[in-house]
Coordinates of all heavy atoms in Angstrom, one line a residue:
A86 N 0.8 -1.2 0.0 CA 0.0 0.0 0.0 C 0.9 1.3 0.0 O 0.6 2.2 -0.7 CB -0.9 0.0 1.2
V87 N 1.9 1.2 0.8 CA 2.8 2.4 0.9 C 3.5 2.6 -0.4 O 3.6 3.7 -1.0 CB 3.8 2.3 2.1 CG1 4.8 3.4 2.0 CG2 3.0 2.3 3.4
T88 N 4.1 1.6 -1.0 CA 4.9 1.7 -2.2 C 4.0 2.1 -3.4 O 4.4 2.9 -4.2 CB 5.7 0.5 -2.5 OG1 4.8 -0.7 -2.6 CG2 6.8 0.2 -1.5
S89 N 2.8 1.6 -3.4 CA 1.8 1.9 -4.4 C 1.5 3.4 -4.4 O 1.4 4.1 -5.4 CB 0.6 1.1 -4.3 OG -0.4 1.4 -5.2
R90 N 1.3 3.9 -3.2 CA 1.0 5.4 -3.0 C 2.1 6.2 -3.6 O 1.8 7.3 -4.1 CB 0.8 5.7 -1.5 CG 0.4 7.1 -1.2 CD 0.2 7.3 0.3 NE -0.2 6.2 1.0 CZ 0.3 5.8 2.2 NH1 1.3 6.4 2.7 NH2 -0.1 4.7 2.8
W91 N 3.3 5.7 -3.6 CA 4.4 6.5 -4.1 C 4.8 6.1 -5.5 O 5.9 6.5 -6.0 CB 5.6 6.4 -3.1 CG 5.3 7.2 -1.9 CD1 5.0 6.7 -0.7 CD2 5.2 8.6 -1.7 NE1 4.7 7.7 0.2 CE2 4.8 8.9 -0.4 CE3 5.5 9.7 -2.6 CZ2 4.7 10.2 0.1 CZ3 5.3 11.0 -2.1 CH2 4.9 11.2 -0.8
G92 N 4.0 5.4 -6.2 CA 4.2 5.1 -7.6 C 5.2 4.0 -7.9 O 5.7 3.9 -9.1
V93 N 5.5 3.1 -7.0 CA 6.5 2.0 -7.2 C 5.7 1.0 -8.0 O 4.7 0.5 -7.7 CB 7.0 1.4 -5.9 CG1 7.8 0.2 -6.2 CG2 7.8 2.5 -5.2
R94 N 6.3 0.6 -9.1 CA 5.7 -0.4 -10.0 C 6.4 -1.8 -10.0 O 5.8 -2.8 -10.3 CB 5.7 0.1 -11.5 CG 4.7 1.2 -11.7 CD 5.0 1.9 -13.0 NE 4.3 3.2 -13.1 CZ 4.6 4.3 -12.5 NH1 5.5 4.3 -11.6 NH2 3.9 5.4 -12.7
H95 N 7.7 -1.8 -9.6 CA 8.5 -3.0 -9.6 C 8.9 -3.3 -8.1 O 9.9 -2.9 -7.7 CB 9.7 -2.9 -10.5 CG 9.3 -2.6 -11.9 ND1 8.8 -3.5 -12.7 CD2 9.5 -1.4 -12.5 CE1 8.6 -2.9 -13.9 NE2 9.0 -1.6 -13.8
C96 N 8.1 -4.1 -7.4 CA 8.3 -4.3 -6.0 C 9.6 -5.0 -5.7 O 10.3 -4.7 -4.7 CB 7.1 -5.0 -5.4 SG 5.6 -4.0 -5.3
G97 N 10.0 -6.0 -6.5 CA 11.2 -6.7 -6.3 C 12.4 -5.8 -6.4 O 13.3 -5.8 -5.6
R98 N 12.4 -5.1 -7.5 CA 13.6 -4.1 -7.7 C 13.6 -3.1 -6.6 O 14.7 -2.7 -6.1 CB 13.4 -3.5 -9.1 CG 14.6 -2.7 -9.5 CD 14.4 -2.1 -10.9 NE 13.8 -3.0 -11.8 CZ 13.1 -2.6 -12.9 NH1 13.0 -1.3 -13.2 NH2 12.6 -3.4 -13.8
F99 N 12.4 -2.6 -6.2 CA 12.4 -1.6 -5.1 C 12.9 -2.2 -3.8 O 13.7 -1.5 -3.1 CB 10.9 -1.1 -4.9 CG 10.8 -0.4 -3.6 CD1 11.2 0.9 -3.5 CD2 10.2 -1.0 -2.5 CE1 11.2 1.6 -2.3 CE2 10.2 -0.4 -1.3 CZ 10.6 0.9 -1.2
A100 N 12.5 -3.4 -3.5 CA 12.9 -4.0 -2.2 C 14.4 -4.1 -2.2 O 15.1 -3.9 -1.1 CB 12.3 -5.4 -2.0
A101 N 15.0 -4.5 -3.3 CA 16.5 -4.6 -3.3 C 17.2 -3.3 -3.2 O 18.2 -3.1 -2.5 CB 16.9 -5.3 -4.7
W102 N 16.6 -2.3 -3.8 CA 17.2 -0.9 -3.7 C 17.0 -0.4 -2.3 O 17.9 0.2 -1.7 CB 16.4 0.0 -4.8 CG 16.9 1.3 -4.9 CD1 18.2 1.8 -5.1 CD2 16.1 2.5 -4.9 NE1 18.3 3.1 -5.2 CE2 17.0 3.6 -5.1 CE3 14.8 2.8 -4.8 CZ2 16.6 4.9 -5.1 CZ3 14.3 4.1 -4.9 CH2 15.2 5.1 -5.0
Y103 N 15.8 -0.6 -1.7 CA 15.5 -0.2 -0.4 C 16.5 -0.8 0.6 O 17.1 -0.1 1.5 CB 14.1 -0.5 0.0 CG 13.7 0.0 1.4 CD1 13.0 1.2 1.5 CD2 13.9 -0.7 2.5 CE1 12.5 1.7 2.7 CE2 13.5 -0.2 3.8 CZ 12.8 1.0 3.8 OH 12.4 1.5 5.0
R104 N 16.7 -2.1 0.4 CA 17.6 -2.8 1.3 C 19.1 -2.3 1.2 O 19.8 -2.2 2.2 CB 17.6 -4.3 1.0 CG 18.4 -5.1 2.0 CD 18.2 -6.6 1.8 NE 18.9 -7.3 2.9 CZ 18.7 -8.5 3.2 NH1 17.9 -9.3 2.5 NH2 19.3 -9.1 4.2
S105 N 19.5 -2.0 0.0 CA 20.9 -1.5 -0.2 C 21.0 -0.1 0.4 O 22.1 0.2 0.9 CB 21.3 -1.5 -1.7 OG 20.6 -0.5 -2.3
H106 N 19.9 0.6 0.5 CA 20.0 2.0 1.0 C 19.8 2.0 2.5 O 20.5 2.8 3.2 CB 18.9 2.9 0.4 CG 19.1 4.3 0.6 ND1 20.1 5.1 -0.1 CD2 18.5 5.2 1.4 CE1 20.0 6.3 0.3 NE2 19.1 6.4 1.2
Y107 N 18.9 1.2 3.1 CA 18.6 1.2 4.5 C 19.1 0.0 5.3 O 18.9 -0.1 6.5 CB 17.1 1.4 4.7 CG 16.6 2.8 4.4 CD1 15.9 3.0 3.2 CD2 16.9 3.9 5.2 CE1 15.4 4.3 2.8 CE2 16.5 5.2 4.8 CZ 15.7 5.3 3.7 OH 15.3 6.6 3.3
D108 N 19.7 -0.9 4.6 CA 20.2 -2.1 5.2 C 19.2 -3.0 5.9 O 19.5 -3.6 6.9 CB 21.4 -1.8 6.1 CG 22.3 -3.0 6.4 OD1 22.4 -3.8 5.4 OD2 22.9 -3.1 7.4
E109 N 18.0 -2.9 5.4 CA 16.9 -3.8 5.8 C 15.8 -3.8 4.8 O 15.7 -2.9 4.0 CB 16.3 -3.4 7.2 CG 15.5 -2.1 7.2 CD 15.0 -1.7 8.6 OE1 15.4 -2.4 9.6 OE2 14.3 -0.7 8.7
L110 N 14.9 -4.8 4.9 CA 13.8 -4.9 3.9 C 12.7 -3.9 4.4 O 12.6 -3.6 5.6 CB 13.2 -6.3 3.9 CG 14.1 -7.4 3.3 CD1 13.5 -8.8 3.5 CD2 14.3 -7.1 1.8
P111 N 11.9 -3.5 3.4 CA 10.8 -2.6 3.8 C 9.9 -3.2 4.8 O 9.5 -2.4 5.7 CB 10.1 -2.4 2.5 CG 11.0 -2.7 1.4 CD 12.0 -3.7 2.0
S112 N 9.7 -4.4 4.8 CA 8.8 -5.1 5.8 C 9.4 -5.0 7.2 O 8.6 -4.9 8.2 CB 8.5 -6.5 5.4 OG 9.7 -7.2 5.3
A113 N 10.7 -5.0 7.3 CA 11.3 -4.9 8.6 C 11.2 -3.5 9.2 O 10.9 -3.3 10.4 CB 12.8 -5.3 8.5
T114 N 11.2 -2.5 8.3 CA 11.0 -1.1 8.7 C 9.6 -1.0 9.2 O 9.3 -0.4 10.3 CB 11.2 -0.1 7.6 OG1 12.6 -0.3 7.1 CG2 11.1 1.3 8.0
L115 N 8.6 -1.5 8.5 CA 7.2 -1.4 8.9 C 6.9 -2.1 10.2 O 6.1 -1.6 11.0 CB 6.3 -2.0 7.8 CG 4.8 -2.0 8.0 CD1 4.3 -0.6 8.2 CD2 4.1 -2.8 6.9
H116 N 7.6 -3.2 10.5 CA 7.3 -3.9 11.7 C 8.3 -3.5 12.8 O 8.3 -4.2 13.9 CB 7.4 -5.4 11.4 CG 6.2 -5.9 10.6 ND1 6.3 -5.9 9.2 CD2 5.0 -6.3 10.9 CE1 5.2 -6.3 8.7 NE2 4.3 -6.6 9.7
R117 N 9.0 -2.5 12.7 CA 10.0 -2.1 13.7 C 9.4 -1.5 14.9 O 10.0 -1.4 15.9 CB 10.9 -1.1 13.1 CG 12.2 -0.8 13.9 CD 13.1 0.2 13.5 NE 13.6 0.1 12.2 CZ 14.2 1.0 11.5 NH1 14.4 2.2 12.0 NH2 14.6 0.8 10.3

């Protein structure tokens, strides 16, 4: 829902990019 709101179309690519930038998966951030 969050990534869709911001126009992300490729979730797999986004998750890899997010992880390389924040050193965790987006789901880990959400559940922190």
Side-chain angles (χ1 to χ4, degrees):
V87 171
T88 56
S89 175
R90 184 177 330 133
W91 291 104
V93 173
R94 289 167 193 69
H95 304 286
C96 292
R98 191 178 316 155
F99 165 77
W102 185 50
Y103 186 95
R104 185 174 189 165
S105 73
H106 195 78
Y107 289 106
D108 201 29
E109 69 181 5
L110 291 172
S112 58
T114 303
L115 178 61
H116 291 91
R117 192 187 304 168

